[in-house]
Amino acid sequence: KETFYFVGHYLGMVSPKYYSMCFPLYITKYWNEVVAVALRNNFVSNLVSNITCRSRRRRKNERKPKRIQKRPLMITFDGCAQYLSSPTAPYLIANAYQRRNQPPPILISCIRDPVEQTISWWKYENAAMEWGESMGLVEWNTDLRGRSYPPKTLLGALEYSSTDDFVIRSYERSEALFTLDSLAKVDSVGLPLWAMTWPGGQLTGIGRNGN
């Protein structure tokens, strides 16, 4: 699943203490691994038995149908690609595992063609802005996003994301939010509005995702 937890989608809350709420409960795990499979196998077994008995009543020493599915192992993971370019997520993820005395997580990065990905992201974000404007959200908060946002062209977005002073400072400020010296207060302090979910705006990720 894609939680977006550590980039502030939960109203800015990013405390590692509550990260586990994004994942299934123990009872959900038990249901999927034991109860649901047992019910499914029992249903299939009875169905096969009834069909077999009707068509082969006269045959003797008939074998019982085998179980269709063995007990599975439920595996969950956070598939959030935005963490790879977030300036705050690495510190928060590391702290979440450290709190539970767990080794660092295994990170798997599925690479997409950067040109294709950039064009797709540009279209997606512009469609989202058009949708917002259609609902009356026409005023931009320049304190949060700067006066140059949103960039008007794709090439402009690439340049803006990597060279604009406002964006660069925003990323530097975000990275300093939850360093080792400040992680102690993470439970009571969430991400400020200017740092969600990418500092300087969603389109600042364009020049960073390709890296």
Side-chain angles (χ1 to χ4, degrees):
K1 61 184 295 170
E2 195 170 11
T3 69
F4 290 106
Y5 179 73
F6 288 123
V7 290
H9 277 230
Y10 293 68
L11 301 178
M13 183 173 66
V14 292
S15 170
K17 181 179 180 180
Y18 304 110
Y19 182 43
S20 58
M21 74 174 183
C22 299
F23 294 89
L25 302 172
Y26 281 119
I27 190 171
T28 307
K29 184 175 186 293
Y30 177 79
W31 177 270
N32 280 274
E33 289 187 347
V34 180
V35 179
V37 173
L39 292 174
R40 184 161 54 249
N41 285 339
N42 185 59
F43 171 79
V44 173
S45 179
N46 289 337
L47 180 63
V48 173
S49 295
N50 290 336
I51 295 175
T52 303
C53 288
R54 290 175 182 175
S55 61
R56 302 179 181 178
R57 287 181 181 179
R58 296 181 181 179
R59 292 191 178 184
K60 297 181 179 180
N61 300 323
E62 188 176 330
R63 293 182 179 180
K64 294 182 179 179
K66 297 181 179 180
R67 294 184 65 179
I68 303 304
Q69 181 177 351
K70 296 181 179 180
R71 176 177 172 178
L73 177 64
M74 182 178 178
I75 299 176
T76 59
F77 58 91
D78 190 349
C80 188
Q82 192 173 355
Y83 291 166
L84 295 175
S85 56
S86 166
T88 54
Y91 302 99
L92 298 168
I93 294 172
N95 185 260
Y97 279 77
Q98 186 182 45
R99 284 170 179 247
R100 292 165 176 78
N101 296 317
Q102 297 293 321
I106 297 174
L107 301 181
I108 300 175
S109 179
C110 299
I111 305 301
R112 182 180 179 184
D113 178 84
V115 175
E116 178 187 331
Q117 195 275 339
T118 298
I119 294 174
S120 174
W121 184 245
W122 170 259
K123 291 180 178 179
Y124 175 84
E125 284 301 323
N126 277 275
M129 287 186 284
E130 290 179 3
W131 176 62
E133 291 173 353
S134 70
M135 297 189 294
L137 303 176
V138 295
E139 295 183 7
W140 287 94
N141 189 328
T142 55
D143 293 333
L144 293 180
R145 295 295 181 245
R147 298 188 178 277
S148 302
Y149 195 88
K152 305 303 181 184
T153 65
L154 178 55
L155 291 178
L158 285 170
E159 182 179 358
Y160 173 76
S161 64
S162 56
T163 63
D164 186 85
D165 290 338
F166 177 82
V167 174
I168 293 174
R169 289 196 305 271
S170 296
Y171 271 81
E172 290 174 348
R173 290 172 62 197
S174 296
E175 190 170 2
L177 285 173
F178 303 118
T179 58
L180 295 177
D181 296 333
S182 57
L183 269 174
K185 57 184 181 182
V186 70
D187 287 339
S188 58
V189 181
L191 280 181
L193 292 176
W194 59 265
M196 296 190 295
T197 63
W198 266 306
Q202 298 295 92
L203 289 174
T204 64
I206 277 189
R208 299 170 186 272
N209 292 336
N211 295 328

